[in-house]
Amino acid sequence: MTDAEPRVAATFSERLDRLPFTRRHLRVLTGSGLGWALDAMDVGLISFVIAALAVQWNLQPQETAWIASVGFIGMAIGASVGGLLADRFGRRSVFAVTLLVYGLATGASALVGGIVALLVLRFIVGLGLGAELPVASTYVSEFAPARMRGRLIVFLEAFWAVGWTAAALIGYFVIPASENGWRWAFALGAIPAAYALFVRWGLPESARWLERRGRHGDAERVVRSFEDAAGEASAPPNRAPAPVATPAPVATSVGSRLAALWAPEFRLRTACLWLVWFCVNFSYYGAFIWIPSILVAQGYDLVRSFGFTLVITLAQLPGYAVAAWLIEVWGRRMTLSVFLIGSAVAAVFFGTAGTEGAVIAAGMALSFFNLGAWGALYAVTPEMYPTSLRATGSGWAAGAGRIASIIAPLSVPILLAAGGAPALFIVFAVFFVIAAAAAWGLADRRGAALDDR
């Protein structure tokens, strides 16, 4: 490789990184973010549906736990496969297909008459949802200028709070309104199927992915559209784009991508990333999927427990806002670890809260810190790997985390029976502390260009 090759290969990256935030960036962020919000709405809805079906169908705790966990089994598979597909077929296309899959399956869930059919459809929903989230964060990170990349990914993750709030509103107003309220909730969850069409045709493909696949003309057109939005260009407008030399990819096939995750260069960050994803998923889904049901079990009626959950959910938004600011001030590792420690402290207080005010305050603190940590985690994950295996690395980290999200809902009834809510939330706190320690094994690429190998 000559000295000139790295400079030429970085042309598209340099042009993207030097741009100001434009309306094209806003379109990519909001277009991906709306899909993210619809994902969150679906995940949030199931916590309210479970609480309602437990009463209406007279379900046992283990049956309701499986309704939650089977979706996460699908998510674990979807995240792992989705990342591989996105590195092979493109970020935008896989993003759109996953929205279509889980949107249709969620809508079909409104028609089920028993738990078996619901479990099958929740698994399919999980396949689409699991694949979509790491692909979306990879997609946005590849357009974001280096100096604000972390902040934009946290803003992307903040759409999760919008979707979860929508789920809480549906849970509060729609589900208790009638015997079929949960069916109407699922019907509303079918919106992503229509939105997938917009994603497929309304958003550009990642220029970095196009460059990596040798489609330099297509990459040039995408980059130029962002430059035009910023009122600048890096080359005369009538000049045909010259072939761009690119550095050798780290991996080019499914097998080599999976092997590269554990190559000496990436081994430590992969291990730490998987551990953080596992611990955060266990505590988050163990807590938030079950909060409405736990409140009902503590004596609050369905409507009141849903109302508490709605208030608790609103604290997610300021959590994201603070994380978005700190991630470009403190860096990725410090922000992630501080929010994880805050989550641990809040979990202990929530598990021991004895009054309505304490429940709401501790729950809001848990939402604030936990979702801020999620924002930082999604920001740091795509930065750990080069373009040729970025979606694969993000997807498999998410897949490792989904194993915990399968285990957590099944563990909650056992832990509640053994020690009640205090013991349960102390366990969650321990997992948050482990994640905070593992975060220091990650690379911190604040302000640095993405690796385009």
Side-chain angles (χ1 to χ4, degrees):
M1 181 178 290
T2 67
D3 291 339
E5 283 179 336
R7 180 185 60 78
V8 174
T11 297
F12 290 130
S13 299
E14 289 173 350
R15 289 163 64 185
L16 287 170
D17 281 341
R18 79 183 185 195
L19 291 173
F21 187 78
T22 70
R23 65 179 184 277
R24 294 284 290 174
H25 291 101
L26 182 63
R27 184 181 179 88
V28 166
L29 178 63
T30 56
S32 303
L34 287 173
W36 201 290
L38 292 167
D39 288 358
M41 187 177 76
D42 180 272
V43 175
L45 279 176
I46 199 63
S47 66
F48 298 99
V49 169
I50 285 172
L53 288 183
V55 176
Q56 191 175 131
W57 286 2
N58 195 28
L59 299 177
Q60 298 302 308
Q62 286 302 317
E63 291 176 309
T64 56
W66 271 109
I67 294 174
S69 287
V70 74
F72 296 124
I73 294 173
M75 289 174 75
I77 298 171
S80 303
V81 174
L84 290 166
L85 292 176
D87 277 333
R88 174 65 180 85
F89 297 106
R91 286 47 165 141
R92 181 186 65 174
S93 297
V94 174
F95 184 28
V97 169
T98 58
L99 285 168
L100 187 65
V101 167
Y102 92 80
L104 291 175
T106 298
S109 300
L111 305 176
V112 299
I115 191 171
V116 174
L118 182 58
L119 289 175
V120 171
L121 287 169
R122 291 307 301 171
F123 174 78
I124 297 172
V125 167
L127 289 175
L129 181 61
E132 191 273 332
L133 294 176
V135 173
S137 60
T138 297
Y139 176 71
V140 175
S141 72
E142 291 183 344
F143 280 110
R147 65 188 177 281
M148 64 180 78
R149 185 174 58 243
R151 186 164 294 161
L152 291 185
I153 299 302
V154 178
F155 285 145
L156 172 67
E157 167 66 2
F159 280 88
W160 185 270
V162 175
W164 200 281
T165 301
L169 289 169
I170 293 170
Y172 185 73
F173 291 108
V174 177
I175 293 178
S178 69
E179 185 177 343
N180 291 318
W182 63 271
R183 295 186 187 274
W184 285 108
F186 276 140
L188 290 170
I191 293 173
Y195 181 68
L197 297 175
F198 167 78
V199 171
R200 181 64 182 86
W201 301 112
L203 297 178
E205 182 54 88
S206 165
R208 296 175 192 268
W209 180 84
L210 290 168
E211 179 187 21
R212 173 50 53 200
R213 302 297 295 180
R215 295 167 58 181
H216 303 300
D218 291 336
E220 172 68 26
R221 282 187 286 274
V222 171
V223 173
R224 188 172 292 283
S225 71
F226 280 78
E227 290 173 333
D228 290 344
E232 63 174 81
S234 63
N238 294 323
R239 190 181 74 186
V244 179
T246 56
V250 172
T252 57
S253 65
V254 170
S256 63
R257 288 188 180 102
L258 294 178
L261 297 180
W262 296 100
E265 181 180 358
F266 305 112
R267 187 178 299 152
L268 175 62
R269 65 184 69 174
T270 294
C272 290
L273 194 61
W274 287 24
L275 182 57
V276 175
W277 271 90
F278 186 92
C279 292
V280 173
N281 270 272
F282 184 90
S283 295
Y284 175 77
Y285 286 107
F288 281 87
I289 289 293
W290 278 91
I291 279 178
S293 298
I294 291 171
L295 292 174
V296 170
Q298 289 180 344
Y300 299 105
D301 62 43
L302 199 63
V303 174
R304 199 166 200 184
S305 70
F306 285 4
F308 285 176
T309 306
L310 173 58
V311 174
I312 288 170
T313 299
L314 293 175
Q316 295 179 7
L317 288 169
Y320 285 125
V322 174
W325 174 62
L326 290 176
I327 202 164
E328 301 295 3
V329 177
W330 287 355
R332 280 58 163 149
R333 287 180 301 203
M334 176 65 78
T335 302
L336 178 57
S337 61
V338 166
F339 274 81
L340 286 169
I341 292 296
S343 300
V345 174
V348 172
F349 279 109
F350 186 84
T352 56
T355 65
E356 288 186 9
V359 167
I360 292 174
M364 292 179 72
L366 185 58
S367 276
F368 177 93
F369 285 108
N370 201 344
L371 277 297
W374 270 115
L377 180 57
Y378 269 105
V380 75
T381 298
E383 296 179 346
M384 295 299 97
Y385 303 103
T387 299
S388 57
L389 68 145
R390 183 168 297 121
T392 298
S394 298
W396 277 73
R402 299 310 174 192
I403 296 172
S405 62
I406 297 166
I407 298 170
L410 296 173
S411 303
V412 168
I414 299 171
L415 292 170
L416 279 174
L424 174 66
F425 280 86
I426 287 174
V427 171
F428 294 152
V430 170
F431 274 81
F432 281 132
V433 171
I434 294 171
W440 289 95
L442 304 178
D444 196 320
R445 297 184 60 83
R446 176 179 52 149
L450 289 175
D451 185 345
D452 282 319
R453 287 177 294 167

